[in-house]
Amino acid sequence: MEKPRQGFWGLWNISFGFFGIQIGFALQNANMSRVFQTLGASMDDLPALWVAAPLTGLLVQPVIGHLSDRTWNRLGRRRPYILTGAVLAAVALFVMPLSPAFGAPLIFAAAMLWVLDASLNISMEPFRAFVGDMLRTDQHAAGYAVQTAFIGTGAVVGSIFPFVLEHLGIANVAPGGGIPDTVRWSFWAGSVALLAAVVWTVVTTREYSPDEQAAFAAGDGKVAEAPPASMLAEKSYLSSGAWIVLGAVVALLVGLLDLEKEVLLLGALLALYGVLSAVAIALARRGKAANMLSSIVGDFSGMPEVMKRLAVVQFFSWSALFIMWINTTPVVTQYVFGSTDTTSIAYNEGANWVNVLFTVYNGIAAIAALALLPAMSRRFGQVATHSICLTAGAVGFLMFFFVRDAQVLLVAEIGIGIAWASILAMPYAILASNLPQAKLGIYMGLFNIFVVVPQLLVATVMGSIMQAFFPGEPVWTMLFAAVTFLIAAGAMLRVAAALPSTPTETALA
């Protein structure tokens, strides 16, 4: 039994909700450093304030993936989580600009960032699996390309909001150093757009039932193998102990090397995973492997080889992206517009220009997803295409290190946009075509660990590195980003050997 082939409107409806979700991510990525600095945070505080975002993704996505694989109700399998996350994210976006009205505005804003990112992750993880659920193997590349186009378009809309509102006469500098009206109204409009887009997808799609999905999987020959959780009983406690020891070593280095205290969080997470894995092994040895903890730990330790190799690529790719999201505003305002004073006209003009830059790279991503990636994939294959695109992104980051002209930086965003399009499409298309359908949710959730962990490292370790070697010089972060993209491009070349077959790539029809 084979899934029906989706036409243009089918692909549109399946992915349209991502347009709204990405508006939320774009508003967050382009404006939260500005909000934090406006509320009194120093540049060195930014990584610590941003740490909430990746941490919530690390905790939320594997759990949601596990649950969505096992859910079926009137709304379906993935759609209940997609809708719930969208409602919570819309509320967080609406409340965020009200931070100055609270007694501790900076703390409140950081808390709202935590809620916003958790909610967006609740929606996003099932959405990744949703595309794989709804499409045939030979349409996976097309489906994730359309999704990427909506992501890019949504990010353009979210990123350009403040710039457009300023040109419509909305105040871009608030009296007393508060959050400008351009940012406030952007968040409120984004809240409405996010919810409306997700509701569109929920209303216009019908998920396949568990019986239908099982029949499709049998037809594709991708029936899930023995659950990795059941094999946990055979594992030694040595690996669990190694994670705990590694966490303790990281914590010890914080004191010895006088690192930023946020690095303690990284050590705590490593040790916590060691403890949880030991508990999962103990449960499995007692014949109690059928639980969420054992399933998640078992699936993580038993990842397919193609997923392990793609994980390395994701780790370095997202390290660079998170460096960009945290540091583009400080770099552009300080080096291009010549101001670090958040109350100055120059700083706020620079911050708005960052929204323009982010708009360009997302717009390029939307175009590249439909016009460039399919042609490159047919010509070079998905693996080589992704490696080439990551290299283009590295060139873009290098330009930020050398260029001091605001207009020329638009050129840098072309390379970054091409890389962003590929990051959002190629790894997921490869995974969806080579993983068991019944486990697509949990594997997509676990794959996100390699999106989140590098962000945690950047949020905790990068601040210590910059403080030690380049205090007050954020431009060096862009050189770090370029190097990590190049490492990811090299690591991608190892993925081809792990692919059991080359999925058929088709046009967007």
Side-chain angles (χ1 to χ4, degrees), residues 302-319:
M303 288 187 298
E305 184 63 26
V306 63
M307 187 170 165
K308 292 179 182 178
R309 298 194 182 198
L310 278 171
V312 177
V313 179
Q314 288 292 88
F315 178 89
F316 288 104
S317 300
W318 284 85
S319 295

Side-chain angles (χ1 to χ4, degrees), residues 128 132 137 140 144 222 427-435 437 440 444:
R128 296 286 192 197
T137 298
H140 282 157
Y144 285 103
K222 288 187 288 187
Y428 297 101
I430 293 171
L431 283 180
S433 298
N434 292 282
L435 295 177
Q437 184 67 52
L440 198 53
M444 288 292 187

Side-chain angles (χ1 to χ4, degrees), residues 397-434:
F397 284 131
L398 277 175
M399 289 185 66
F400 272 85
F401 187 70
F402 293 108
V403 172
R404 297 294 177 266
D405 186 302
Q407 300 293 329
V408 176
L409 287 179
L410 293 171
V411 178
E413 298 297 341
I414 296 175
I416 294 171
I418 291 172
W420 178 231
S422 190
I423 289 168
L424 293 173
M426 290 297 129
Y428 297 101
I430 293 171
L431 283 180
S433 298
N434 292 282

Side-chain angles (χ1 to χ4, degrees), residues 304-364:
E305 184 63 26
V306 63
M307 187 170 165
K308 292 179 182 178
R309 298 194 182 198
L310 278 171
V312 177
V313 179
Q314 288 292 88
F315 178 89
F316 288 104
S317 300
W318 284 85
S319 295
L321 291 171
F322 204 61
I323 288 172
M324 175 184 71
W325 290 329
I326 292 178
N327 294 286
T328 300
T329 295
V331 168
V332 171
T333 54
Q334 179 175 336
Y335 293 89
V336 180
F337 286 79
S339 177
T340 58
D341 179 5
T342 60
T343 65
S344 69
I345 294 176
Y347 175 91
N348 283 282
E349 286 181 349
N352 266 11
W353 189 250
V354 171
N355 282 285
V356 175
L357 294 175
F358 281 20
T359 298
V360 170
Y361 91 73
N362 282 295
I364 292 294

Side-chain angles (χ1 to χ4, degrees), residues 42-58:
S42 69
M43 189 179 69
D44 293 334
D45 291 332
L46 292 181
L49 291 167
W50 271 89
V51 76
L55 180 60
T56 50
L58 180 64

Side-chain angles (χ1 to χ4, degrees), residues 54-72:
L55 180 60
T56 50
L58 180 64
L59 298 175
V60 167
Q61 291 219 23
V63 172
I64 296 299
H66 171 87
L67 293 175
S68 70
D69 279 342
R70 291 159 174 77
T71 293
W72 184 259

